Amino acid sequence: MTTLFSESLASSRTGSGAASAAASSARPQSLDWIEQLVRMDTTSRESNLGLIETIRDAVQRITGRAPVLTYDRTGKKANLFATLPAANGEVDGGIVLSGHTDVVPVDGQQWQSDPFKPEIRDGLLYGRGTADMKGFIGTVMSQLPNFAAQPLKQPVHLSFTYDEEVGCLGAPVLLADLAARGVKPSGCIVGEPTEMRVVVAHKGINTFRCQVHGQAAHSSLTPRGANAIEHAARLICYIRDMVDEFRAKGPFDEDFDVPFSTGQTSLIRGGNAINTVPAECEFQFEYRNLPGVDAAAIEARIRAYIDSELLPRMKRDHPDAAIELMRTAGAPALDAAEQAAVTTLVRALARDDVVRKVAYATEGGQFALAGIPTVICGPGNIQQAHRADEYVALEQIVACEVFLGRLLQSLVQ
Protein backbone atom coordinates (compact mmCIF):
# COMPACT_ATOMS: atom_id res chain seq x y z
CA MET A 1 0.00 0.00 0.00
CA THR A 2 2.85 2.39 0.76
CA THR A 3 4.13 2.14 -2.80
CA LEU A 4 0.69 2.74 -4.29
CA PHE A 5 0.11 5.71 -2.00
CA SER A 6 3.48 7.18 -2.91
CA GLU A 7 2.81 6.82 -6.62
CA SER A 8 -0.43 8.77 -6.25
CA LEU A 9 0.97 11.87 -4.55
CA ALA A 10 2.12 13.82 -7.57
CA SER A 11 -1.21 13.50 -9.38
CA SER A 12 -3.10 14.25 -6.15
CA ARG A 13 -1.34 17.63 -5.83
CA THR A 14 -2.36 18.93 -9.26
CA GLY A 15 -5.42 21.00 -10.14
CA SER A 16 -5.93 22.59 -6.74
CA GLY A 17 -6.98 25.97 -8.18
CA ALA A 18 -9.80 24.48 -10.24
CA ALA A 19 -10.91 22.37 -7.27
CA SER A 20 -11.04 25.42 -5.01
CA ALA A 21 -13.12 27.34 -7.54
CA ALA A 22 -15.52 24.41 -7.83
CA ALA A 23 -15.82 24.10 -4.06
CA SER A 24 -16.81 27.74 -3.72
CA SER A 25 -19.55 27.85 -6.35
CA ALA A 26 -21.03 24.47 -7.32
CA ARG A 27 -24.15 22.81 -5.90
CA PRO A 28 -23.19 19.57 -4.19
CA GLN A 29 -23.91 16.42 -6.14
CA SER A 30 -24.35 14.74 -2.76
CA LEU A 31 -27.25 16.86 -1.55
CA ASP A 32 -30.00 14.31 -2.23
CA TRP A 33 -28.17 11.59 -0.32
CA ILE A 34 -27.39 13.84 2.63
CA GLU A 35 -30.96 15.12 2.89
CA GLN A 36 -32.30 11.57 2.76
CA LEU A 37 -30.05 10.54 5.65
CA VAL A 38 -30.90 13.62 7.76
CA ARG A 39 -34.62 12.85 7.45
CA MET A 40 -34.01 9.57 9.27
CA ASP A 41 -34.07 10.05 13.05
CA THR A 42 -31.06 8.03 14.17
CA THR A 43 -30.71 9.63 17.60
CA SER A 44 -28.68 7.16 19.66
CA ARG A 45 -31.71 6.06 21.67
CA GLU A 46 -33.46 5.05 18.42
CA SER A 47 -32.75 2.25 15.95
CA ASN A 48 -30.51 3.02 12.99
CA LEU A 49 -31.68 0.05 10.92
CA GLY A 50 -33.71 2.12 8.46
CA LEU A 51 -30.61 4.09 7.51
CA ILE A 52 -28.30 1.08 7.48
CA GLU A 53 -30.66 -0.96 5.34
CA THR A 54 -31.09 1.93 2.90
CA ILE A 55 -27.31 2.12 2.50
CA ARG A 56 -27.03 -1.68 2.32
CA ASP A 57 -29.51 -1.85 -0.55
CA ALA A 58 -27.77 0.98 -2.41
CA VAL A 59 -24.32 -0.58 -2.01
CA GLN A 60 -25.57 -3.94 -3.26
CA ARG A 61 -27.31 -2.32 -6.22
CA ILE A 62 -24.26 -0.24 -7.19
CA THR A 63 -21.50 -2.77 -6.56
CA GLY A 64 -23.23 -6.13 -6.85
CA ARG A 65 -21.77 -7.10 -3.47
CA ALA A 66 -23.67 -7.47 -0.21
CA PRO A 67 -22.26 -5.51 2.75
CA VAL A 68 -21.69 -7.22 6.10
CA LEU A 69 -23.93 -6.07 8.95
CA THR A 70 -23.01 -6.58 12.60
CA TYR A 71 -25.70 -6.01 15.22
CA ASP A 72 -25.86 -4.88 18.82
CA ARG A 73 -27.27 -7.19 21.49
CA THR A 74 -30.82 -5.96 20.92
CA GLY A 75 -30.76 -6.46 17.17
CA LYS A 76 -32.15 -2.94 16.75
CA LYS A 77 -28.88 -1.35 15.68
CA ALA A 78 -26.24 -2.39 13.18
CA ASN A 79 -22.89 -1.50 11.72
CA LEU A 80 -22.26 -1.81 7.99
CA PHE A 81 -18.98 -2.77 6.35
CA ALA A 82 -18.71 -2.95 2.56
CA THR A 83 -15.77 -3.61 0.25
CA LEU A 84 -15.15 -2.56 -3.32
CA PRO A 85 -12.41 -4.96 -4.44
CA ALA A 86 -9.40 -3.93 -6.47
CA ALA A 87 -9.53 -4.63 -10.19
CA ASN A 88 -7.63 -7.89 -9.62
CA GLY A 89 -10.21 -9.03 -7.07
CA GLU A 90 -8.04 -8.25 -4.06
CA VAL A 91 -9.98 -7.34 -0.90
CA ASP A 92 -7.07 -7.11 1.55
CA GLY A 93 -5.47 -3.77 2.40
CA GLY A 94 -7.00 -0.62 0.99
CA ILE A 95 -8.62 2.48 2.44
CA VAL A 96 -11.58 2.62 4.83
CA LEU A 97 -13.97 5.58 4.64
CA SER A 98 -15.56 5.62 8.09
CA GLY A 99 -18.46 7.44 9.71
CA HIS A 100 -21.02 6.99 12.49
CA THR A 101 -24.73 6.94 11.75
CA ASP A 102 -26.13 8.05 15.11
CA VAL A 103 -26.82 11.65 16.11
CA VAL A 104 -27.34 13.42 19.43
CA PRO A 105 -30.81 14.37 20.72
CA VAL A 106 -32.55 17.64 19.96
CA ASP A 107 -34.50 17.65 23.24
CA GLY A 108 -34.74 21.11 24.79
CA GLN A 109 -33.07 22.84 21.86
CA GLN A 110 -34.72 25.74 20.04
CA TRP A 111 -34.43 25.17 16.28
CA GLN A 112 -35.51 27.63 13.60
CA SER A 113 -36.57 24.69 11.42
CA ASP A 114 -37.44 21.01 11.92
CA PRO A 115 -34.10 19.31 12.73
CA PHE A 116 -35.13 16.22 10.74
CA LYS A 117 -36.34 18.16 7.69
CA PRO A 118 -33.16 19.51 6.06
CA GLU A 119 -33.36 23.10 4.92
CA ILE A 120 -30.94 25.27 2.95
CA ARG A 121 -30.53 28.89 4.01
CA ASP A 122 -27.80 31.20 2.75
CA GLY A 123 -25.57 28.42 1.48
CA LEU A 124 -25.87 26.36 4.66
CA LEU A 125 -27.66 23.01 5.01
CA TYR A 126 -29.43 22.85 8.38
CA GLY A 127 -30.51 19.66 10.15
CA ARG A 128 -29.45 17.28 12.87
CA GLY A 129 -26.38 15.37 11.73
CA THR A 130 -25.57 17.58 8.73
CA ALA A 131 -22.12 18.25 10.20
CA ASP A 132 -21.79 15.28 12.54
CA MET A 133 -21.66 13.33 10.34
CA LYS A 134 -24.26 12.54 7.71
CA GLY A 135 -22.70 15.14 5.44
CA PHE A 136 -19.66 12.90 5.07
CA ILE A 137 -21.63 9.64 4.79
CA GLY A 138 -23.98 11.10 2.18
CA THR A 139 -21.07 12.44 0.16
CA VAL A 140 -19.36 9.04 0.21
CA MET A 141 -22.56 7.33 -0.92
CA SER A 142 -23.10 9.82 -3.74
CA GLN A 143 -19.58 9.15 -5.02
CA LEU A 144 -19.83 5.37 -4.70
CA PRO A 145 -20.91 4.82 -8.34
CA ASN A 146 -17.75 6.62 -9.50
CA PHE A 147 -15.56 4.33 -7.39
CA ALA A 148 -17.46 1.22 -8.51
CA ALA A 149 -17.03 2.12 -12.18
CA GLN A 150 -13.23 2.36 -12.05
CA PRO A 151 -10.51 -0.34 -12.01
CA LEU A 152 -9.09 0.27 -8.53
CA LYS A 153 -5.47 -0.52 -7.73
CA GLN A 154 -6.52 -1.43 -4.19
CA PRO A 155 -9.84 -1.95 -2.42
CA VAL A 156 -11.99 0.75 -0.87
CA HIS A 157 -14.05 -0.08 2.21
CA LEU A 158 -17.06 1.65 3.77
CA SER A 159 -17.53 1.52 7.54
CA PHE A 160 -20.70 3.00 9.03
CA THR A 161 -21.30 2.39 12.75
CA TYR A 162 -23.88 2.76 15.50
CA ASP A 163 -23.69 4.46 18.91
CA GLU A 164 -20.55 6.55 18.50
CA GLU A 165 -22.23 9.41 20.33
CA VAL A 166 -22.81 7.35 23.49
CA GLY A 167 -19.33 5.92 23.87
CA CYS A 168 -18.09 4.61 20.50
CA LEU A 169 -19.93 1.34 21.14
CA GLY A 170 -20.43 0.12 17.59
CA ALA A 171 -16.91 0.34 16.20
CA PRO A 172 -15.41 -2.36 18.49
CA VAL A 173 -18.11 -4.79 17.31
CA LEU A 174 -17.31 -4.02 13.68
CA LEU A 175 -13.55 -4.28 14.25
CA ALA A 176 -13.90 -7.60 16.06
CA ASP A 177 -15.83 -8.93 13.06
CA LEU A 178 -13.11 -7.74 10.68
CA ALA A 179 -10.47 -9.48 12.79
CA ALA A 180 -12.51 -12.69 12.87
CA ARG A 181 -12.85 -12.61 9.08
CA GLY A 182 -9.19 -11.78 8.56
CA VAL A 183 -9.93 -8.41 6.93
CA LYS A 184 -7.07 -5.96 7.50
CA PRO A 185 -7.36 -2.59 5.74
CA SER A 186 -4.14 -0.60 5.37
CA GLY A 187 -5.53 2.79 6.36
CA CYS A 188 -8.65 4.62 7.47
CA ILE A 189 -10.10 8.09 6.97
CA VAL A 190 -12.70 9.06 9.60
CA GLY A 191 -14.86 11.83 8.18
CA GLU A 192 -15.64 13.75 11.36
CA PRO A 193 -16.06 17.50 10.73
CA THR A 194 -12.63 19.14 10.35
CA GLU A 195 -13.42 21.63 7.54
CA MET A 196 -11.62 19.16 5.24
CA ARG A 197 -8.38 19.77 7.12
CA VAL A 198 -6.22 16.94 8.36
CA VAL A 199 -6.35 16.03 12.07
CA VAL A 200 -3.65 13.59 13.12
CA ALA A 201 -4.37 13.18 16.84
CA HIS A 202 -7.12 13.41 19.42
CA LYS A 203 -7.53 12.68 23.09
CA GLY A 204 -9.04 9.55 24.56
CA ILE A 205 -12.33 9.71 26.42
CA ASN A 206 -13.25 7.69 29.51
CA THR A 207 -16.64 7.95 31.23
CA PHE A 208 -17.74 6.58 34.61
CA ARG A 209 -20.75 6.29 36.88
CA CYS A 210 -20.15 6.24 40.63
CA GLN A 211 -22.79 5.12 43.14
CA VAL A 212 -22.12 5.98 46.78
CA HIS A 213 -24.20 3.98 49.27
CA GLY A 214 -24.43 5.46 52.75
CA GLN A 215 -26.93 5.11 55.59
CA ALA A 216 -30.04 7.21 56.11
CA ALA A 217 -30.78 8.87 59.44
CA HIS A 218 -32.81 11.75 60.81
CA SER A 219 -30.79 14.92 60.44
CA SER A 220 -30.91 15.46 64.20
CA LEU A 221 -29.03 12.17 64.56
CA THR A 222 -26.34 12.66 61.91
CA PRO A 223 -23.70 10.53 63.72
CA ARG A 224 -25.95 7.49 63.20
CA GLY A 225 -25.93 7.88 59.41
CA ALA A 226 -23.41 7.91 56.61
CA ASN A 227 -23.91 10.93 54.33
CA ALA A 228 -23.58 9.65 50.77
CA ILE A 229 -23.54 13.14 49.26
CA GLU A 230 -20.71 14.37 51.47
CA HIS A 231 -18.57 11.30 50.79
CA ALA A 232 -19.32 11.58 47.06
CA ALA A 233 -18.17 15.19 47.28
CA ARG A 234 -14.81 14.04 48.65
CA LEU A 235 -14.31 11.83 45.61
CA ILE A 236 -15.44 14.58 43.25
CA CYS A 237 -12.93 16.97 44.83
CA TYR A 238 -10.20 14.32 44.56
CA ILE A 239 -10.90 13.98 40.84
CA ARG A 240 -10.85 17.76 40.47
CA ASP A 241 -7.53 17.99 42.31
CA MET A 242 -6.11 15.33 40.02
CA VAL A 243 -7.11 17.14 36.81
CA ASP A 244 -5.85 20.44 38.26
CA GLU A 245 -2.54 18.65 38.65
CA PHE A 246 -2.64 17.69 34.95
CA ARG A 247 -3.21 21.35 34.09
CA ALA A 248 -0.34 22.53 36.27
CA LYS A 249 2.24 19.82 35.71
CA GLY A 250 1.31 18.17 32.41
CA PRO A 251 2.41 16.33 30.45
CA PHE A 252 1.72 18.89 27.73
CA ASP A 253 1.32 18.77 23.96
CA GLU A 254 1.08 22.30 22.58
CA ASP A 255 -0.29 21.10 19.24
CA PHE A 256 -3.61 20.42 21.01
CA ASP A 257 -6.23 23.14 21.45
CA VAL A 258 -6.24 22.16 25.16
CA PRO A 259 -2.65 20.95 25.66
CA PHE A 260 -3.10 18.74 28.74
CA SER A 261 -5.38 15.93 29.94
CA THR A 262 -8.69 17.11 31.40
CA GLY A 263 -11.61 15.83 33.44
CA GLN A 264 -14.88 16.94 34.96
CA THR A 265 -17.95 15.82 36.91
CA SER A 266 -21.06 16.45 34.86
CA LEU A 267 -24.12 14.88 36.52
CA ILE A 268 -25.05 14.33 40.18
CA ARG A 269 -28.14 13.38 42.16
CA GLY A 270 -28.83 12.30 45.72
CA GLY A 271 -30.90 12.79 48.84
CA ASN A 272 -34.65 13.04 49.31
CA ALA A 273 -35.32 15.59 52.08
CA ILE A 274 -33.62 18.50 53.83
CA ASN A 275 -33.92 16.80 57.22
CA THR A 276 -32.65 13.34 56.18
CA VAL A 277 -29.04 12.16 55.99
CA PRO A 278 -28.87 10.99 52.37
CA ALA A 279 -28.33 7.27 51.89
CA GLU A 280 -27.58 7.45 48.17
CA CYS A 281 -25.65 9.67 45.78
CA GLU A 282 -24.79 8.99 42.15
CA PHE A 283 -22.59 11.06 39.90
CA GLN A 284 -20.98 10.74 36.49
CA PHE A 285 -17.59 11.99 35.40
CA GLU A 286 -15.17 11.77 32.52
CA TYR A 287 -11.54 12.38 31.74
CA ARG A 288 -9.84 12.95 28.40
CA ASN A 289 -6.26 11.80 28.19
CA LEU A 290 -3.56 12.97 25.83
CA PRO A 291 -2.00 10.34 23.58
CA GLY A 292 0.74 8.69 25.59
CA VAL A 293 -1.01 9.29 28.91
CA ASP A 294 -2.15 5.97 30.35
CA ALA A 295 -5.93 6.13 30.79
CA ALA A 296 -5.95 2.91 32.84
CA ALA A 297 -3.41 4.39 35.25
CA ILE A 298 -5.73 7.36 35.88
CA GLU A 299 -8.60 5.01 36.64
CA ALA A 300 -6.35 2.95 38.93
CA ARG A 301 -5.40 6.10 40.81
CA ILE A 302 -9.07 6.94 41.44
CA ARG A 303 -9.86 3.40 42.55
CA ALA A 304 -6.85 3.38 44.89
CA TYR A 305 -8.14 6.54 46.59
CA ILE A 306 -11.56 4.94 47.02
CA ASP A 307 -10.18 1.71 48.46
CA SER A 308 -7.44 3.10 50.69
CA GLU A 309 -8.92 6.35 51.96
CA LEU A 310 -12.55 7.09 51.13
CA LEU A 311 -14.23 3.76 51.75
CA PRO A 312 -12.52 3.11 55.12
CA ARG A 313 -13.64 6.59 56.22
CA MET A 314 -17.21 5.84 55.17
CA LYS A 315 -17.21 2.53 57.01
CA ARG A 316 -16.25 4.31 60.19
CA ASP A 317 -19.60 6.10 59.84
CA HIS A 318 -21.45 2.87 59.04
CA PRO A 319 -20.12 -0.64 58.33
CA ASP A 320 -22.52 -1.22 55.43
CA ALA A 321 -21.37 1.82 53.44
CA ALA A 322 -20.15 1.01 49.91
CA ILE A 323 -18.97 2.60 46.67
CA GLU A 324 -19.53 1.24 43.17
CA LEU A 325 -17.43 2.70 40.35
CA MET A 326 -18.47 1.58 36.85
CA ARG A 327 -16.76 2.43 33.59
CA THR A 328 -19.58 3.27 31.17
CA ALA A 329 -17.74 4.01 27.94
CA GLY A 330 -14.40 4.88 26.50
CA ALA A 331 -12.43 5.36 23.33
CA PRO A 332 -8.64 5.42 23.04
CA ALA A 333 -6.62 8.41 21.98
CA LEU A 334 -5.36 8.71 18.40
CA ASP A 335 -1.84 9.72 17.44
CA ALA A 336 -1.22 9.15 13.74
CA ALA A 337 2.35 8.78 12.57
CA GLU A 338 3.33 11.42 10.02
CA GLN A 339 5.30 8.71 8.24
CA ALA A 340 2.22 6.48 7.82
CA ALA A 341 1.17 6.05 4.22
CA VAL A 342 -2.42 7.09 4.92
CA THR A 343 -1.26 10.32 6.60
CA THR A 344 0.93 11.19 3.65
CA LEU A 345 -1.86 10.43 1.20
CA VAL A 346 -4.57 12.41 3.01
CA ARG A 347 -2.27 15.40 3.42
CA ALA A 348 -1.69 15.36 -0.33
CA LEU A 349 -5.38 14.98 -1.14
CA ALA A 350 -6.38 17.77 1.26
CA ARG A 351 -3.45 20.05 0.28
CA ASP A 352 -2.71 20.42 3.98
CA ASP A 353 0.55 19.99 5.86
CA VAL A 354 -0.41 21.70 9.15
CA VAL A 355 -0.25 19.61 12.34
CA ARG A 356 -3.67 19.62 14.05
CA LYS A 357 -4.67 17.80 17.22
CA VAL A 358 -8.08 18.06 18.91
CA ALA A 359 -9.62 17.49 22.33
CA TYR A 360 -12.71 15.64 21.13
CA ALA A 361 -12.64 11.87 20.57
CA THR A 362 -13.61 9.76 17.56
CA GLU A 363 -13.63 6.13 16.50
CA GLY A 364 -10.24 6.79 14.94
CA GLY A 365 -8.46 5.67 18.09
CA GLN A 366 -10.26 2.33 17.95
CA PHE A 367 -9.23 1.74 14.34
CA ALA A 368 -5.65 2.66 15.19
CA LEU A 369 -5.67 0.33 18.22
CA ALA A 370 -6.78 -2.44 15.86
CA GLY A 371 -3.64 -1.83 13.79
CA ILE A 372 -5.25 0.30 11.05
CA PRO A 373 -3.42 3.64 10.66
CA THR A 374 -6.03 6.40 10.80
CA VAL A 375 -6.46 10.13 10.25
CA ILE A 376 -9.48 12.43 10.60
CA CYS A 377 -10.73 14.58 7.71
CA GLY A 378 -14.29 15.52 6.87
CA PRO A 379 -16.68 18.34 5.92
CA GLY A 380 -18.12 20.84 8.37
CA ASN A 381 -17.02 22.42 11.62
CA ILE A 382 -17.12 20.54 14.94
CA GLN A 383 -18.39 23.75 16.61
CA GLN A 384 -21.70 23.22 14.78
CA ALA A 385 -22.09 19.65 16.06
CA HIS A 386 -24.63 18.86 18.80
CA ARG A 387 -26.10 22.36 18.90
CA ALA A 388 -29.45 23.75 17.80
CA ASP A 389 -29.52 24.73 14.11
CA GLU A 390 -26.63 22.41 13.29
CA TYR A 391 -25.45 23.01 9.75
CA VAL A 392 -22.83 22.23 7.17
CA ALA A 393 -21.82 24.75 4.52
CA LEU A 394 -22.58 23.56 0.99
CA GLU A 395 -19.08 24.54 -0.05
CA GLN A 396 -17.76 22.09 2.52
CA ILE A 397 -19.73 19.29 0.89
CA VAL A 398 -18.34 20.25 -2.50
CA ALA A 399 -14.85 20.29 -1.02
CA CYS A 400 -15.43 16.76 0.26
CA GLU A 401 -16.58 15.68 -3.20
CA VAL A 402 -13.37 17.14 -4.64
CA PHE A 403 -11.34 15.31 -1.99
CA LEU A 404 -13.00 11.98 -2.80
CA GLY A 405 -12.47 12.62 -6.51
CA ARG A 406 -8.76 13.08 -5.85
CA LEU A 407 -8.75 9.87 -3.80
CA LEU A 408 -10.35 8.00 -6.68
CA GLN A 409 -7.84 9.50 -9.13
CA SER A 410 -5.00 8.31 -6.90
CA LEU A 411 -6.39 4.77 -6.88
CA VAL A 412 -6.76 4.33 -10.63
CA GLN A 413 -3.58 5.92 -12.00
Side-chain angles (χ1 to χ4, degrees):
M1 182 175 179
T2 302
T3 302
L4 292 176
F5 278 175
S6 299
E7 290 173 351
S8 73
L9 298 187
S11 61
S12 298
R13 292 190 177 102
T14 61
S16 59
S20 299
S24 64
S25 60
R27 174 183 173 86
Q29 301 171 9
S30 311
L31 198 55
D32 289 345
W33 254 110
I34 297 170
E35 291 180 337
Q36 180 183 13
L37 298 180
V38 171
R39 290 188 186 98
M40 300 179 183
D41 182 356
T42 55
T43 305
S44 301
R45 63 183 174 232
E46 306 292 343
S47 171
N48 74 336
L49 291 184
L51 182 150
I52 286 292
E53 290 167 357
T54 296
I55 293 177
R56 176 199 63 192
D57 294 345
V59 170
Q60 189 159 1
R61 182 176 64 253
I62 293 166
T63 69
R65 295 174 61 91
V68 174
L69 304 190
T70 51
Y71 293 84
D72 74 346
R73 287 176 293 180
T74 70
K76 296 179 180 179
K77 298 181 181 181
N79 303 307
L80 178 146
F81 191 85
T83 297
L84 283 70
N88 63 2
E90 183 64 61
V91 296
D92 289 331
I95 288 283
V96 179
L97 301 175
S98 176
H100 63 81
T101 62
D102 61 319
V103 298
V104 298
V106 299
D107 304 20
Q109 295 183 337
Q110 299 298 314
W111 286 68
Q112 295 184 50
S113 55
D114 188 324
F116 298 106
K117 292 182 180 178
E119 182 175 305
I120 297 173
R121 302 193 298 272
D122 299 323
L124 308 176
L125 176 63
Y126 289 86
R128 174 56 85 221
T130 49
D132 187 20
M133 55 184 301
K134 292 178 178 179
F136 176 75
I137 295 174
T139 305
V140 169
M141 289 303 300
S142 77
Q143 302 304 305
L144 185 60
N146 298 334
F147 281 82
Q150 296 294 328
L152 303 176
K153 293 189 295 186
Q154 56 187 290
V156 172
H157 312 277
L158 308 183
S159 169
F160 302 140
T161 59
Y162 65 82
D163 280 357
E164 188 269 355
E165 296 289 7
V166 291
C168 296
L169 304 182
V173 177
L174 181 145
L175 290 165
D177 177 72
L178 295 187
R181 294 192 287 119
V183 178
K184 185 64 179 291
S186 300
C188 177
I189 303 169
V190 176
E192 291 276 2
T194 68
E195 295 188 320
M196 295 310 301
R197 299 168 179 169
V198 181
V199 168
V200 296
H202 64 63
K203 294 180 180 179
I205 184 170
N206 313 267
T207 67
F208 296 84
R209 175 182 293 111
C210 184
Q211 294 176 339
V212 180
H213 307 289
Q215 177 66 32
H218 193 282
S219 61
S220 65
L221 303 171
T222 55
R224 298 182 185 179
N227 192 309
I229 291 177
E230 292 175 354
H231 288 295
R234 296 184 190 278
L235 181 53
I236 291 169
C237 289
Y238 177 83
I239 294 168
R240 173 57 190 262
D241 289 345
M242 184 176 62
V243 298
D244 284 348
E245 178 184 316
F246 296 154
R247 182 171 187 170
K249 299 180 179 179
F252 301 100
D253 186 335
E254 297 299 335
D255 288 325
F256 276 88
D257 41 6
V258 179
F260 45 85
S261 299
T262 62
Q264 57 119 16
T265 299
S266 54
L267 295 170
I268 187 169
R269 63 180 180 181
N272 63 353
I274 187 64
N275 60 350
T276 302
V277 174
E280 301 292 333
C281 183
E282 177 180 294
F283 66 95
Q284 297 181 47
F285 68 94
E286 65 160 34
Y287 56 84
R288 296 174 183 256
N289 57 293
L290 288 173
V293 172
D294 187 350
I298 298 174
E299 178 181 349
R301 183 175 169 183
I302 295 169
R303 291 187 182 277
Y305 171 76
I306 292 172
D307 293 339
S308 65
E309 296 188 41
L310 184 57
L311 191 54
R313 186 169 185 167
M314 287 184 66
K315 286 185 174 295
R316 288 197 293 270
D317 287 347
H318 197 280
D320 294 333
I323 299 175
E324 295 180 78
L325 180 61
M326 296 151 284
R327 181 181 174 89
T328 53
L334 172 69
D335 194 7
E338 286 293 342
Q339 298 78 18
V342 69
T343 309
T344 305
L345 174 66
V346 175
R347 286 201 178 283
L349 299 176
R351 313 294 199 261
D352 180 20
D353 59 4
V354 176
V355 175
R356 294 185 185 84
K357 303 179 181 182
V358 295
Y360 60 83
T362 77
E363 295 170 334
Q366 293 169 321
F367 278 89
L369 190 64
I372 305 171
T374 300
V375 294
I376 316 298
C377 186
N381 189 314
I382 194 65
Q383 293 184 23
Q384 303 307 323
H386 298 192
R387 63 189 297 177
D389 295 323
E390 178 182 350
Y391 69 79
V392 64
L394 298 185
E395 65 180 10
Q396 281 285 300
I397 297 302
V398 177
C400 187
E401 293 173 350
V402 171
F403 175 90
L404 293 174
R406 291 173 183 161
L407 174 60
L408 177 57
Q409 182 184 33
S410 77
L411 296 175
V412 298
Q413 291 188 345

